[in-house]
Amino acid sequence: MANSNPFVPPSAVDVDLSAVAWGANRTMSDFETGMWRMEEAQPQLRSPIVAVEVLDRAPDWDRLLDAVEWASHVVPRIRMRAVEPAMQLGNPVWSVDPEFDIGYHLRRVRLPAPADFDHALRMCRHLATEPFDKARPPWSALLIEGLDDGRAVFVVKTHHSITDGMGGIQMMTLLHSRRPDPTPNKPDRTPPAPEHLSSVGAFGEEVVSEIRRAPSRIAKLVRGATNVATTAISSPITTASEVLGYANSLRKIVTPPARSGSPLLHDRGLGRWFGTLEVGVPELKAGAKAAGGSLNDAYVAALLGGFRRYHEAFGQSVDSIPMGMPISMRTGADANGGNRFTAVRFNGPVSETDPAKRIRQVREIVLGLREEPALDALDVAAPILARLPNYLLANWYLSQSTGLDLQASNVAGVPVPVYLAGAKIERMFPFGPAPGCAAMATLVSHVGVCCIGINLDTAAITKPALLMQCLQESLDEIVALGVTTEGA
């Protein structure tokens, strides 16, 4: 029987390969095309997704190689490169790399003594900032050994055009097992045959693909127009109200927050710094419940409280900061992988010193944004944006993101103990891309622990260690709400 939870790997040989679908489309979507191309004009807009797993010991190297090789059979996208059509007339086409080499993408290093997790994290950061070789499949992985306490770190970097954060977790679970011992007789697939697709061939595929998609697109437009016309005739007031409501919603979604960014966080650059925080899921939930909010509300409130403390350390005060939040649009019918998310932007309340009140403020804002009819604005605009020249596309995105001081993402993780080639995974820290914003915070729950990865732009955050201290203090303050309530 297929596993009902996509983040929990099967326990033994009951892998249902028919249920593993990844990347149903051979061509990138318009949205993915935009992410792929805009970084060519603006390196600040590079969008790697990085997962850092902390292991209790070094995994068996040969087993790890075999696991990645197996995963590349199950998910052919791992073996595919993106081929641009001639003169970029159309979207890039995914094609099996004729020179695919596991050894190029998966490497190992041993840190010189003394070495701790911070040393390994620096190496992860350097890996994250290296641009992809776009002539090859856009992913890489590194096993870091030699930590003084005997632990190891496994880091995987993928380009955002392959998948979003939730899809990245789905991909990582293919390498995980619920037991340390090898799984015998694991079902396999024949690896995809190498392809020698040229830019001219990619253009031809795009033309054929557009022709095939045209009838369904036209039919969808006709159905939509017919429904609107019918409703307009039978209930013109309702129709006008809905159109006006969508227009107002669209204005909220695409218009940047009214408040400009903090002067303290104004600059942007290419430097990145990684930091981590962790807190128990029950503890954070208890703090959230005490204030009448959800775990996500408490998480965002903790981040905002940390930014307030950071500003206070510089003798500055700020009422709010412009921030963004990705919202998953995935449903059970969506295939694994790919990108199925949208984004909302709002003024994050920073000045509120009462953590409970801040949680309730965040909750009210986020619940309101999740109900906006125009959440699909990115999908609607993507076909137009993908056709812009790269420099215009990059400048448009920078205008949308550079004013953001913070982005916060929350992705469901693995709820049960899992292993990587015999080594137990103790923590999984996610580091989302921070294109144009001062800081990107991402939370993944792993076996009862909220693992939070903070990706900072060092031109904006000039004292990253100080910010991490401020964030920890704010997180402790949120947790204390639950402790106080239990003791009352």
Side-chain angles (χ1 to χ4, degrees):
M1 179 180 295
N3 189 355
S4 60
N5 188 331
F7 304 135
V8 180
S11 58
V13 295
D14 57 344
V15 181
D16 184 358
L17 294 184
S18 65
V20 180
W22 190 284
N25 297 322
R26 181 165 167 85
T27 58
M28 285 188 191
S29 70
D30 293 323
F31 181 52
E32 291 160 350
T33 297
M35 291 190 292
W36 179 255
R37 289 177 177 168
M38 64 187 180
E39 63 186 43
E40 296 176 7
Q42 280 288 353
Q44 289 181 17
L45 299 179
R46 290 174 186 156
S47 54
I49 294 177
V50 179
V52 175
E53 295 184 334
V54 181
L55 314 176
D56 69 338
R57 61 187 179 85
D60 183 284
W61 177 248
D62 289 335
R63 281 182 60 187
L64 182 57
L65 283 172
D66 289 343
V68 176
E69 176 70 27
W70 175 82
S72 76
H73 297 183
V74 175
V75 181
R77 183 59 50 85
I78 293 174
R79 291 174 169 260
M80 292 182 175
R81 57 180 181 151
V83 180
E84 283 279 10
M87 298 180 288
Q88 294 191 344
L89 295 175
N91 297 355
V93 177
W94 291 108
S95 174
V96 179
D97 184 359
E99 299 181 73
F100 179 74
D101 178 13
I102 286 284
Y104 173 83
H105 296 275
L106 175 59
R107 294 167 288 173
R108 68 193 296 194
V109 296
R110 176 171 289 276
L111 295 174
D116 57 18
F117 177 63
D118 285 338
H119 290 95
L121 203 57
R122 291 178 205 167
M123 185 160 286
C124 296
R125 180 191 68 199
H126 290 310
L127 176 68
T129 55
E130 294 174 353
F132 284 104
D133 179 355
K134 290 194 171 183
R136 297 175 181 266
W139 68 272
S140 60
L142 180 67
L143 175 63
I144 304 172
E145 301 173 275
L147 275 67
D148 295 340
D149 56 8
R151 295 188 300 171
V153 169
F154 183 60
V155 53
V156 178
K157 178 181 76 166
T158 57
H159 196 280
H160 212 323
S161 60
I162 294 181
T163 186
D164 54 23
M166 189 171 292
I169 297 295
Q170 292 170 340
M171 180 180 285
M172 292 295 292
T173 57
L174 289 173
L175 303 177
H176 298 163
S177 173
R178 281 198 280 175
R179 65 178 195 175
D181 300 324
T183 300
N185 304 318
K186 186 162 56 176
D188 201 350
R189 284 175 174 165
T190 302
E195 299 175 292
H196 296 270
L197 184 67
S198 66
S199 60
V200 175
F203 172 70
E205 284 201 22
E206 265 290 86
V207 171
V208 173
S209 179
E210 285 292 330
I211 292 173
R212 287 175 176 172
R213 288 196 294 260
S216 61
R217 287 182 175 179
I218 293 172
K220 184 177 180 180
L221 288 172
V222 170
R223 285 195 303 270
T226 301
N227 291 337
V228 170
T230 302
T231 305
I233 293 171
S234 61
S235 183
I237 295 178
T238 301
T239 301
S241 177
E242 288 179 352
V243 171
L244 182 60
Y246 188 88
N248 288 332
S249 176
L250 186 63
R251 175 179 54 80
K252 293 179 184 178
I253 296 298
V254 300
T255 303
R259 180 172 295 279
S260 59
S262 163
L264 185 62
L265 313 176
H266 178 267
D267 293 335
R268 298 291 185 271
L270 293 176
R272 295 292 182 265
W273 192 92
F274 283 2
T276 63
L277 299 167
E278 56 183 84
V279 61
V281 171
E283 288 79 6
L284 189 56
K285 281 186 174 180
K289 183 179 180 181
S294 67
L295 182 146
N296 187 69
D297 299 329
Y299 159 59
V300 175
L303 296 174
L304 293 171
F307 270 75
R308 189 195 76 250
R309 283 176 160 81
Y310 183 74
H311 280 78
E312 290 174 347
F314 284 87
Q316 296 192 20
S317 62
V318 60
D319 292 332
S320 63
I321 58 173
M323 66 174 295
M325 181 181 297
I327 294 179
S328 176
M329 304 293 282
R330 286 184 183 272
T331 68
D334 290 322
N336 292 348
N339 286 271
R340 289 289 294 128
F341 75 96
T342 189
V344 295
R345 295 174 295 175
F346 57 95
N347 291 315
V350 171
S351 61
E352 178 55 65
T353 58
D354 186 326
K357 290 182 179 178
R358 197 182 326 122
I359 289 173
R360 289 192 287 270
Q361 289 175 346
V362 169
R363 183 167 183 78
E364 182 179 357
I365 293 171
V366 174
L367 286 179
L369 288 170
R370 286 181 180 273
E371 298 301 320
E372 290 292 342
L375 277 180
D376 61 350
L378 277 177
D379 284 340
V380 173
I384 299 173
L385 295 173
R387 269 69 184 170
L388 291 176
N390 291 346
Y391 74 94
L392 288 179
L393 173 64
N395 287 338
W396 175 86
Y397 190 88
L398 278 176
S399 71
Q400 300 295 301
S401 62
T402 301
L404 297 180
D405 290 337
L406 171 64
Q407 292 200 58
S409 179
N410 181 358
V411 181
V414 181
V416 298
V418 286
Y419 299 83
L420 177 70
K424 185 177 182 179
I425 301 172
E426 296 181 338
R427 297 287 187 270
M428 178 190 288
F429 292 104
F431 296 91
C437 67
M440 175 70 189
T442 311
L443 181 154
V444 164
S445 56
H446 182 81
V447 199
V449 177
C450 294
C451 301
I452 304 171
I454 311 291
N455 183 0
L456 303 177
D457 183 330
T458 52
I461 310 293
T462 56
K463 294 187 176 181
L466 173 61
L467 177 62
M468 295 304 299
Q469 177 185 335
C470 293
L471 291 171
Q472 183 64 63
E473 291 172 358
S474 181
L475 192 60
D476 293 342
E477 184 181 52
I478 299 290
V479 170
L481 291 175
V483 175
T484 302
T485 302
E486 290 177 359

